[in-house]
């Protein structure tokens, strides 16, 4: 609903028309208008994929406005060294880091309590003992949603951690409890992403049936969220081994390849 309102507001401002941005004399303002419109397109496609519904913005108006200028390439070494974090810092800026950490811990505790209070036939650790296929599928779907919610909760910690210097470049004076908590949160986020990918791969069927997994658009959305976490983890090879991340990345690609048959026009 929020995305739909944003699209209607953008259309009301004429951002879907190429002349709206082309008539702007200020290059910065022209670029901003185009980025806003393509941001609407991106969110529209994401909602469409997530819920399996037609997109609000059809192909023709989506391609009418010229693409925004490409951002200059950023060297990952500049990100980890703190030289160039402008493009990424908006993910993690906060005026009260301590309060944010407290909220993350509280929300994760609530998630864990919710999982423990599930009835036995919906508990993940009771899946093998459950013989009812309907409740088994419900348990798997709930597990996927639980893991995805945890990724969304921990992802800001991962972003903050990946934008800091490696421990070898930090002084001992900078080694605080807060930094350790953020690191553990980042590691937990990556482990959760790997868990999602493994679960999808384990319960993936060879035919066109869904089996125990959710609908295909949810599966693609979940593996996309998990894969973006793996990309962020590559910025900190000192913490996340390249071999382990590479293995999970290969599994994610394998899951996506299994969904090629759902591609439009095939």
């Amino acid at each position: 609903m929020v995305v739909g309102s944003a699209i209607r507001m953008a259309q009301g401002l004429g951002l879907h028309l190429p002349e709206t941005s082309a008539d702007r004399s200020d290059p910065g303002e022209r670029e901003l208008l185009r980025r806003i419109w393509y941001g609407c397109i991106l969110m529209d496609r994401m909602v469409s994929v997530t819920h399996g519904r037609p997109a609000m913005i059809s192909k023709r108006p989506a391609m009418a406005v010229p693409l925004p200028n490409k951002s200059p390439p950023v060297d990952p070494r500049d990100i980890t060294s703190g030289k160039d974090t402008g493009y990424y810092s908006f993910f993690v800026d906060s005026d009260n880091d301590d309060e944010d950490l407290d909220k993350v811990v509280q929300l994760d505790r609530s998630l864990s309590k919710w999982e423990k209070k599930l009835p036995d036939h919906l508990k993940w650790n009771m899946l093998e003992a459950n013989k009812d296929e309907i409740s088994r599928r419900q348990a798997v779907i709930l597990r996927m949603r639980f893991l995805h919610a945890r990724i969304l909760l921990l992802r800001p910690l991962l972003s903050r951690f990946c934008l800091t210097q490696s421990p070898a470049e930090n002084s001992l004076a900078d080694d605080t409890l807060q930094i350790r908590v953020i690191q553990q949160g980042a590691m937990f986020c990556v482990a959760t992403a790997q868990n999602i990918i493994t679960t999808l791969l384990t319960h993936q069927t060879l035919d066109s049936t869904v089996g125990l997994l959710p609908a295909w658009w949810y599966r693609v959305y979940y593996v996309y969220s998990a894969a973006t976490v793996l990309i962020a983890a590559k910025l900190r090879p000192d913490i996340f081994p390249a071999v382990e991340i590479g293995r999970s990345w290969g599994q994610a690609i394998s899951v996506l390849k299994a969904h090629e048959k759902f591609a439009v026009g095939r």
Side-chain angles (χ1 to χ4, degrees):
M1 186 170 63
V2 176
V3 174
S5 298
I7 292 172
R8 293 307 183 200
M9 291 173 64
Q11 291 172 332
L13 294 171
L15 301 187
H16 63 298
L17 303 174
E19 55 267 24
T20 300
S21 57
D23 291 343
R24 303 289 177 169
S25 57
D26 183 4
E29 186 176 356
R30 182 168 60 248
E31 183 73 7
L32 176 62
L33 295 180
R34 290 174 179 175
R35 286 179 180 271
I36 292 174
W37 175 242
Y38 275 95
C40 290
I41 295 173
L42 176 63
M43 293 305 301
D44 180 41
R45 297 300 189 264
M46 183 63 70
V47 171
S48 178
V49 169
T50 302
H51 298 287
R53 299 171 183 169
M56 288 184 62
I57 306 173
S58 59
K59 185 176 181 180
R60 184 175 179 181
M63 299 177 62
V65 178
L67 287 169
N69 293 327
K70 291 184 178 180
S71 300
V74 179
D75 191 329
R77 291 172 296 181
D78 291 338
I79 300 173
T80 55
S81 64
K83 294 180 180 178
D84 195 345
T85 59
Y87 293 103
Y88 305 91
S89 58
F90 65 92
F91 286 112
V92 296
D93 278 350
S94 175
D95 294 330
N96 196 332
D97 292 343
D98 293 334
E99 184 178 341
D100 288 346
L101 286 176
D102 290 342
K103 290 179 179 178
V104 169
V105 173
Q106 291 172 9
L107 288 172
D108 187 72
R109 186 185 301 118
S110 298
L111 274 176
S112 298
K113 286 183 178 179
W114 169 84
E115 185 186 31
K116 291 179 180 178
K117 290 182 179 179
L118 287 173
D120 288 344
H121 68 281
L122 295 179
K123 288 184 177 180
W124 177 250
N125 57 2
M126 301 290 289
L127 184 65
E128 297 303 323
N130 192 348
K131 303 303 180 183
D132 181 68
E133 285 300 305
I134 295 179
S135 59
R136 279 168 57 85
R137 183 167 186 248
Q138 290 174 337
V140 172
I141 291 176
L142 279 178
R143 178 65 175 178
M144 298 300 300
R145 292 180 178 179
F146 169 79
L147 293 175
H148 187 252
R150 177 166 275 169
I151 281 182
L152 297 181
L153 176 64
L154 298 174
R155 199 162 53 182
L157 297 184
L158 176 67
S159 299
R160 191 182 308 173
F161 177 71
C162 289
L163 294 179
T164 60
Q165 296 179 346
S166 64
E169 297 172 332
N170 283 333
S171 63
L172 293 177
D174 294 330
D175 188 15
T176 64
L177 178 60
Q178 184 186 59
I179 292 176
R180 294 293 184 97
V181 171
I182 292 174
Q183 177 176 331
Q184 289 299 316
M187 295 171 65
F188 198 15
C189 184
V190 173
T192 304
Q194 292 173 318
N195 200 341
I196 278 188
I197 295 170
T198 301
T199 303
L200 286 170
L201 193 62
T202 301
H203 295 284
Q204 186 172 264
T205 59
L206 299 178
D207 52 23
S208 299
T209 60
V210 294
L212 300 180
L213 294 174
W216 69 266
W217 51 85
Y218 278 110
R219 301 197 297 268
V220 172
Y221 179 48
Y222 291 151
V223 75
Y224 168 80
S225 297
T228 55
V229 168
L230 298 180
I231 293 175
K234 290 184 178 182
L235 295 174
R236 292 300 301 266
D238 55 306
I239 300 297
F240 306 109
V243 174
E244 184 178 334
I245 297 300
R247 185 186 306 113
S248 297
W249 179 262
Q251 292 174 340
I253 297 300
S254 176
V255 172
L256 288 177
K257 283 185 176 296
H259 291 77
E260 287 182 341
K261 57 179 175 289
F262 298 109
V264 177
R266 296 194 60 171

